[in-house]
């Protein structure tokens, strides 16, 4: 195991880091994040000098933003549903060094399928309705403003189940899966301009 960097001309440069098997992100001009299967390490591309450690314990699916400034990860907590205690996801956002972790979406919403916007300023994801567990809908988290908004949809055929959002390359729209009755479709939408979307903001930022 080792880490190599290839330049535009195809020349290989040995970074070092012979204990690392994974490269997670290139976060700045001279910094990459590597891992050993347990923890993550921001290191200098010239000689693998360590710049810290991001401990992987209790962090799942660590994902870096396209601009290299931030990361998100999932934790878990227990919540009450249907008279019983169940495990659900929580979503946290931190700097690319793993510092300042902040819970963006709590376990009562069981956040899933989060994806960074192309500019790294927002996250789109799907969440579960705390009051109606069978419903899932799209949510948007503004990382800079630390603002969470929900976008449940109402259609003439009923309330759909919206999941798996993906940004279009421009960052102005998303595509997501929609299940309504026995039908499944893909929906292209600009959330703020969608007349079927009901904009909902939590009374308390989670």
């Amino acid at each position: 195991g080792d880490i190599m960097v290839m330049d535009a001309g195809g020349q290989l440069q040995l970074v070092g880091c012979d204990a690392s098997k994974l490269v997670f992100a290139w976060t700045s001009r001279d910094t990459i994040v590597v891992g050993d299967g347990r923890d993550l390490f921001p290191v200098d591309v010239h000689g693998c000098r360590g710049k810290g450690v991001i401990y992987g314990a209790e962090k799942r699916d660590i994902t870096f933003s396209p601009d290299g400034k931030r990361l998100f990860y999932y934790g878990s907590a227990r919540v009450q549903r249907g008279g019983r205690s169940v495990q659900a996801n929580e979503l946290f956002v931190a700097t690319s060094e793993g510092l300042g972790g902040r819970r963006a979406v709590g376990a009562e919403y069981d956040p899933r399928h989060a994806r960074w916007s192309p500019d790294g300023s927002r996250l789109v994801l799907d969440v579960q309705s705390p009051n109606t567990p069978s419903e899932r809908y799209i949510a948007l988290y503004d990382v800079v403003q630390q603002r969470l908004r929900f976008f449940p949809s109402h259609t003439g055929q009923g309330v759909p189940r919206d999941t798996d959002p993906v940004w279009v390359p421009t960052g102005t729209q998303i595509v997501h899966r929609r299940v309504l009755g026995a039908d499944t479709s893909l929906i292209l939408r600009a959330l703020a301009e969608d007349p079927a979307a009901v904009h909902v903001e939590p009374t308390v930022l989670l």
Side-chain angles (χ1 to χ4, degrees), residues 122 124 138 140 149 151 153 166-168 170-176 178 187-199:
R122 293 167 294 165
V124 68
I138 303 302
L140 191 68
R149 288 181 291 170
F151 293 89
S153 295
V166 179
W167 292 95
V168 301
T170 59
T172 57
Q173 295 174 299
I174 64 166
V175 175
H176 66 80
R178 169 168 289 177
I187 304 296
L188 173 68
R189 61 196 285 200
L191 295 176
E193 301 172 1
D194 186 350
V198 181
H199 300 206

Side-chain angles (χ1 to χ4, degrees), residues 6-198:
M6 180 183 290
D7 65 21
Q11 296 296 311
L12 289 173
Q13 170 193 331
L14 181 66
V15 174
C17 304
D18 57 7
S20 298
K21 304 295 189 291
L22 304 168
V23 179
F24 287 86
W26 198 310
T27 58
S28 69
R29 181 175 180 180
D30 62 354
T31 302
I32 59 175
V33 180
V34 300
D36 60 3
R38 297 181 302 274
D39 301 320
L40 281 62
F41 306 92
V43 300
D44 195 295
V45 295
H46 307 291
C48 195
R49 291 184 296 274
K51 298 184 177 183
V53 58
I54 302 170
Y55 294 104
E58 299 182 359
K59 295 181 178 69
R60 304 192 317 277
D61 301 326
I62 297 174
T63 304
F64 288 82
S65 60
D67 60 6
K69 295 180 180 179
R70 302 178 180 88
L71 60 83
F72 74 73
Y73 60 88
Y74 293 99
S76 61
R78 300 199 71 84
V79 294
Q80 292 293 323
R81 291 216 176 95
R84 61 191 183 95
S85 177
V86 298
Q87 202 81 6
N89 288 337
E90 294 186 303
L91 185 68
F92 294 82
V93 175
T95 68
S96 59
E97 294 81 24
L99 304 175
R102 179 185 179 89
R103 186 174 63 173
V105 188
E108 56 267 49
Y109 296 104
D110 190 26
R112 299 182 187 178
H113 308 118
R115 289 180 175 87
W116 287 106
S117 62
D119 65 359
S121 67
R122 293 167 294 165
L123 284 168
V124 68
L125 59 146
D126 60 74
V127 296
Q128 178 175 311
S129 168
N131 301 320
T132 311
S134 62
E135 292 181 9
R136 291 194 72 86
Y137 44 81
I138 303 302
L140 191 68
Y141 181 70
D142 188 306
V143 179
V144 177
Q145 298 180 8
Q146 297 181 351
R147 182 186 185 191
L148 178 65
R149 288 181 291 170
F150 300 139
F151 293 89
S153 295
H154 294 182
T155 74
Q157 294 76 41
V159 178
R161 182 179 174 89
D162 292 341
T163 62
D164 300 277
V166 179
W167 292 95
V168 301
T170 59
T172 57
Q173 295 174 299
I174 64 166
V175 175
H176 66 80
R177 186 179 305 278
R178 169 168 289 177
V179 177
L180 187 57
D183 297 326
T184 300
S185 56
L186 293 176
I187 304 296
L188 173 68
R189 61 196 285 200
L191 295 176
E193 301 172 1
D194 186 350
V198 181

